[in-house]
Each structure stands twice: as structure tokens, then as C-alpha cells.
Amino acid sequence: KAGVTQTPRYLIKTRGQQVTLSCSPISGHRSVSWYQQTPGQGLQFLFEYFSETQRNKGNFPGRFSGRQFSNSRSEMNVSTLELGDSALYLCASSLEAGSRRNTIYFGEGSWLTVV
Amino acid sequence: DAKTTQPNSMESNEEEPVHLPCNHSTISGTDYIHWYRQLPSQGPEYVIHGLTSNVNNRMASLAIAEDRKSSTLILHRATLRDAAVYYCIFQTGANNLFFGTGTRLTVIP
């Protein structure tokens, strides 16, 4: 069974531009969440989607947004990029939302560099 | 935040057992304890999870204290491939996991 797939794996953008990252969850998984990882802040939760609805949102500015499609695939968008947005963006999927037994599976991540 | 406390780093000799501790004093009675590890340049990888009793799988064992305020991840024979950052997390039911700084495990050949 294929794991969580993220595209692109690496990208470089210029300050002020916007970027869209894509995530395909494990087949059958309906919950998708996104995390940002930087050396200074570590792994931080961005948002979670389930059945095309955002369930939870972390403490990030409105420049960070996401959506989920009917096939559970998800995208996240960052507008007006800043140098500090350079990070590894991780997508994770799980079967369902709201379960304490949920095992969450992560993708390899998308490395974003803002110059 | 659902916070856990772990040592910043630990070392182990190859082929020896490793015990990675975690304190989670604010855990509620229904939160599951999950362990993930992250190898360099990869996403976090699920290792094991449990609620009250000790758990085993092919990767590791999880020993949970009777009061559930702490747990220990046990790697029975450390290999060089086990060198990673290990995160202890408790799953509150929302998928917004709080990772903390984790424990960086160094395996010495």
C-alpha cells in the first residue's frame, strides 16, 4: 500500500510569491493534517482536514491556507512568501479524525526555500 | 498544549538495549501515548502506541507506568539505523500533535 505522497519534494521560491503544495493520503485515509518543521521551531501543526472540512488550525497567519478534495487529497497554499517560511512542510494522514488511537502516517515532506 | 518531557539526547552502543524515557504528567485517562521517530531528511515515522498496558511490536516495546504519567520506549538491540530523533506524544483525539523537541539518539558502532 502506497504511503503518503507529497509533491513537489523540493522547490525554491522568491519572497512575495505564493506556493501550493500537494498531498495524497494513504488510500482509505480521510483525515489529512499539515505540519511545518524548521530548525528553530521544530514541528508545528498547521491545520487538519476531514471530509473536506477544516477541523483544527494551528497558530499561523492567514497567509497559510489549505483545502481538501472529495478524494481526500489535500493542498496547502502559502501566499506572499517570507524568508521565514523556508521549512520542511509535512503532510500526514490517518483513517479518521477524533480518535485517540489514531495512528498518523507522515509523508517525506516538501522542502521549501524562499530566497 | 499536550506537552511531554524528554531528555534532549542519549547515546547507546550498537547491539545494546536502549531505554528512552518520557514524562507526560498532564495526560488524561483516555489519551493514548504515541512514539514517532524521525530520521534525517525524512518525515516522522510511527513506532508504537499504547494506553495502559505494555505494548510490543516488531520495532520496539512500550512500557507505561501504572499512573500513566511516564512511559519508556525500549529498543531491544540498537542498530545504526535506529539513530534518529524520537518523539513521545499523547494523542488527545485531535490530530494536532504536539511534538516537543524529542530525544536525539546516537548509536555508537
Side-chain angles (χ1 to χ4, degrees), chain A:
Chain A
K1 186 152 116 168
V4 179
T5 305
Q6 292 187 245
T7 57
R9 286 279 285 131
Y10 304 93
L11 67 165
I12 300 173
K13 289 286 189 178
T14 303
R15 215 167 19 165
Q17 287 186 315
Q18 65 94 27
V19 66
T20 298
L21 307 177
S22 180
C23 172
S24 293
I26 292 172
S27 177
H29 284 194
R30 297 169 61 198
S31 171
V32 173
S33 47
W34 290 87
Y35 291 78
Q36 181 198 65
Q37 186 170 29
T38 60
Q41 299 297 320
L43 269 155
Q44 293 186 288
F45 170 77
L46 278 158
F47 27 65
E48 180 203 3
Y49 287 87
F50 180 78
S51 293
E52 301 177 67
T53 302
Q54 188 180 85
R55 288 189 75 241
N56 290 295
K57 190 176 191 306
N59 189 24
F60 279 83
R63 300 185 296 108
F64 292 81
S65 63
R67 60 178 177 168
Q68 186 181 34
F69 302 97
S70 58
N71 61 359
S72 295
R73 195 176 66 83
S74 177
E75 288 180 348
M76 68 161 284
N77 183 276
V78 187
S79 62
T80 320
L81 283 165
E82 301 176 359
L83 296 179
D85 297 332
S86 295
L88 175 64
Y89 289 88
L90 292 157
C91 172
S93 77
S94 61
L95 269 172
E96 56 195 61
S99 169
R100 289 174 169 78
R101 283 188 294 180
N102 247 353
T103 295
I104 296 175
Y105 298 92
F106 285 82
E108 296 289 300
S110 292
W111 289 93
L112 170 66
T113 301
V114 182
V115 298

Side-chain angles (χ1 to χ4, degrees), chain B residues 8-108:
Chain B
N8 286 334
S9 61
M10 290 184 66
E11 284 187 353
S12 172
N13 292 319
E14 197 176 9
E15 309 256 319
E16 289 188 357
V18 184
H19 288 64
L20 298 167
C22 178
N23 288 320
H24 29 79
S25 57
T26 61
I27 196 169
S28 77
T30 54
D31 296 337
Y32 276 72
I33 298 153
H34 289 242
W35 282 80
Y36 289 80
R37 71 181 186 181
Q38 188 173 24
L39 279 65
S41 301
Q42 295 188 22
E45 173 189 27
Y46 166 78
V47 177
I48 198 167
H49 74 277
L51 182 61
T52 55
S53 53
N54 297 343
V55 185
N56 300 294
N57 66 19
R58 63 175 179 81
M59 290 180 71
S61 296
L62 176 60
I64 301 170
E66 200 168 325
D67 63 5
R68 295 195 356 105
K69 294 188 185 304
S70 66
S71 62
T72 301
L73 179 70
I74 303 164
L75 306 179
H76 296 286
R77 289 179 67 209
T79 69
L80 296 178
R81 287 178 299 176
D82 292 324
V85 178
Y86 286 79
Y87 296 98
C88 164
I89 298 156
F90 54 93
Q91 202 354 337
T92 62
N95 286 348
N96 52 333
L97 303 181
F98 182 80
F99 275 81
T101 54
T103 296
R104 182 174 299 279
L105 175 66
T106 301
V107 180
I108 302 166

